[in-house]
Amino acid sequence: MRQASNSVASLAPAIDLKLRLTLRVATLAAVCFIAVAAYALFDSDRIAKAKASRIAEIVARDLSLQQSQAQWLSVSINATPDLQGIAALMEPGLCIAYRDNAGAFRQGVCSGAPADEMAAPETFAALYRVIFRPGEPVSMPVLVAGSPRGRAVATFDVAAQIGQSWREVSHLLAIMAFALAGLCLAVYAALARALRPTQAIQVGLKRLAANDLSARLPCFDLAELSAISGVFNTLAERLQAALAERNALTRKLIEVQDEERLHLARELHDEFGQSLTAIAAQAASAAHTAERECPPLYEECRGISRTTAGLMETLRGALVRLRPPDVEELGLTVSLESLVASWNGFEKGRTRFEIAVTGEADDLPPGVSASLYRIAQEAITNAAKHAQARCVQLRLDAGDADIVLTVEDDGEAAPASLTPNSGMGLLGMQERVASLGGTLQFERREACGARLVARIPAMRVEA
């Protein structure tokens, strides 16, 4: 399950860094705006209750004054006071009333809601009622000579208060929405400008992944990106130096191997070649003697001669593979044609070897020609020995940009020989190609046969 979740996570599309940061900033700004809107609601409710309390206090003072005047003028204090004079101070949606000491309603005045009052949505109205409980009356005692004569009550209409709060909050939210959109655009533009150097970093990484170790990054204004640039350049320089050292060591190793092969070829030629020649001469002499003096031994002596001839033929093939012709003198084209001809003669029709050369293959440096010859020789040897092929094709294309050597067969290779790392021969070809700054590809076709492609940059070869 964990592996499945990891694979699903790895297949999830990546989100752009600018978009991700912009969304986070927008989320934080939206939370702040919502907090501001909530504060505005609470402040609106506080202001409404403060207004109601102040109006109730004003009404109580006015009623106290009216009753005091009625007492001075010997008017019955039970006469209903006049609230019309205070109605001019009232705000829309506010109601004032006078209740006596028994709580009986004596008089009340209400001001209507504004004509442009917006109706609040039901959800907002229900939420507002639950949180703030609007419409609660605010009362103040009416005192006459220190004695209570009733209470002045001030109340905001619930629908008017909710509508006014909705009008203020909706205007605030509209302003915040435009501000949030502008903030997102500004943040995205700023991030796009600040993260523009990451495109250069991405290009440099792609070049480095494509084995272009000459890629370098410039210095950036941001300290973090500048640090990445320094690490990248240092890593590229070290990789370039390490690759150059590796190629130099590989070329030295190949030279040592070639010298060892030449030494081994001389030893085989001088020691085994002379010994086989001597054995062949002695077997011929013995056969001549046996033919005259002991005829039953004649066929055995002839058998020794045939075995010696087979060993000498095998030795000559091994010497050709160990000590190739002088490519510098003969040229790469003639050397490869001679190689193909020798294999055609050795196989005697069991496997057909073909060659095609295009371009100026004989103008290459000696070291490159020798390496290409060795790669072709090893590839043909592997195809002839392990693939059981009916036809092996060798193609060399010496173009202006690249030098491409292709060896293709129609045989059936063993499973162990399907990968370039499965044998020392293929590993040696890889080392030779890598020392020349090229690439080696090996692929196995589903139907039958295999193909090996060695590609070497021509510019590096000429240098």
Side-chain angles (χ1 to χ4, degrees), residues 15-33:
I15 301 178
D16 184 64
L17 178 60
K18 300 185 292 297
L19 180 60
R20 176 176 294 182
L21 293 178
T22 302
L23 290 178
R24 292 186 178 182
V25 172
T27 302
L28 182 60
V31 172
C32 295
F33 289 164

Side-chain angles (χ1 to χ4, degrees), residues 120-429:
E122 291 295 333
T123 304
F124 178 83
L127 184 63
Y128 192 91
R129 288 190 180 95
V130 172
I131 297 176
F132 300 103
R133 289 180 296 180
E136 292 184 354
V138 179
S139 62
M140 290 290 178
V142 179
L143 301 177
V144 179
S147 300
R149 296 294 183 177
R151 301 189 70 83
V153 181
T155 307
F156 266 104
D157 182 69
V158 176
Q161 184 176 355
I162 295 176
Q164 183 179 2
S165 298
W166 170 249
R167 183 177 68 252
E168 295 176 357
V169 171
S170 61
H171 291 169
L172 182 61
L173 289 177
I175 295 173
M176 290 181 177
F178 283 106
L180 182 61
L183 178 63
C184 291
L185 292 177
V187 169
Y188 189 87
L191 290 174
R193 182 178 180 84
L195 296 177
R196 190 176 300 171
T198 57
Q199 298 178 359
I201 296 177
Q202 184 179 6
V203 172
L205 290 174
K206 288 182 178 179
R207 291 178 58 187
L208 193 64
N211 295 328
D212 184 6
L213 302 183
S214 62
R216 297 292 185 272
L217 294 180
C219 294
F220 301 111
D221 296 335
L222 295 178
E224 294 79 4
L225 297 182
S226 181
I228 293 175
S229 174
V231 174
F232 178 90
N233 293 337
T234 302
L235 178 61
E237 291 174 359
R238 291 182 180 178
L239 286 175
Q240 192 173 22
L243 182 61
E245 293 178 359
R246 176 180 176 274
N247 290 339
L249 291 176
T250 302
R251 287 192 295 269
K252 184 63 176 177
L253 177 61
I254 291 172
E255 292 176 1
V256 172
Q257 290 177 348
D258 291 339
E259 292 177 359
E260 185 65 23
R261 288 178 177 178
L262 290 176
H263 176 71
L264 180 59
R266 286 194 297 268
E267 292 293 331
L268 290 175
H269 180 271
D270 295 340
E271 298 296 335
F272 288 90
Q274 294 180 5
S275 299
L276 289 176
T277 302
I279 293 174
Q282 293 177 1
S285 177
H288 181 70
T289 303
E291 185 180 8
R292 289 185 292 103
E293 299 181 1
C294 186
L297 295 178
Y298 177 75
E299 289 300 327
E300 296 181 2
C301 294
R302 296 293 297 172
I304 295 175
S305 298
R306 288 192 295 270
T307 303
T308 304
L311 289 175
M312 293 182 69
E313 184 67 22
T314 303
L315 180 60
R316 278 193 293 269
L319 291 177
V320 170
R321 289 189 294 272
L322 289 175
R323 185 176 58 189
D326 195 344
V327 180
E328 184 176 358
E329 292 184 1
L330 299 178
L332 181 59
T333 304
V334 176
S335 300
L336 292 177
E337 291 175 351
S338 176
L339 175 65
V340 171
S342 65
W343 273 105
N344 281 323
F346 180 77
E347 290 293 330
K348 294 180 173 53
R350 293 187 297 270
T351 302
R352 186 177 72 259
F353 295 86
E354 300 177 354
I355 183 173
V357 179
T358 58
E360 300 295 332
D362 294 331
D363 295 339
L364 302 176
V368 176
S369 299
S371 295
L372 289 174
Y373 179 86
R374 281 296 190 184
I375 294 171
Q377 182 185 38
E378 192 66 42
I380 290 178
T381 302
N382 289 341
K385 288 184 177 181
H386 305 296
Q388 300 177 357
R390 294 182 299 273
C391 179
V392 178
Q393 296 179 347
L394 172 65
R395 295 191 301 273
L396 178 63
D397 182 11
D400 296 333
D402 295 327
I403 301 172
V404 182
L405 176 67
T406 305
V407 178
E408 192 171 1
D409 65 78
D410 59 353
E412 298 179 358
S417 63
L418 296 181
T419 59
N421 296 324
S422 61
M424 293 301 295
L426 290 171
L427 182 60
M429 285 187 284

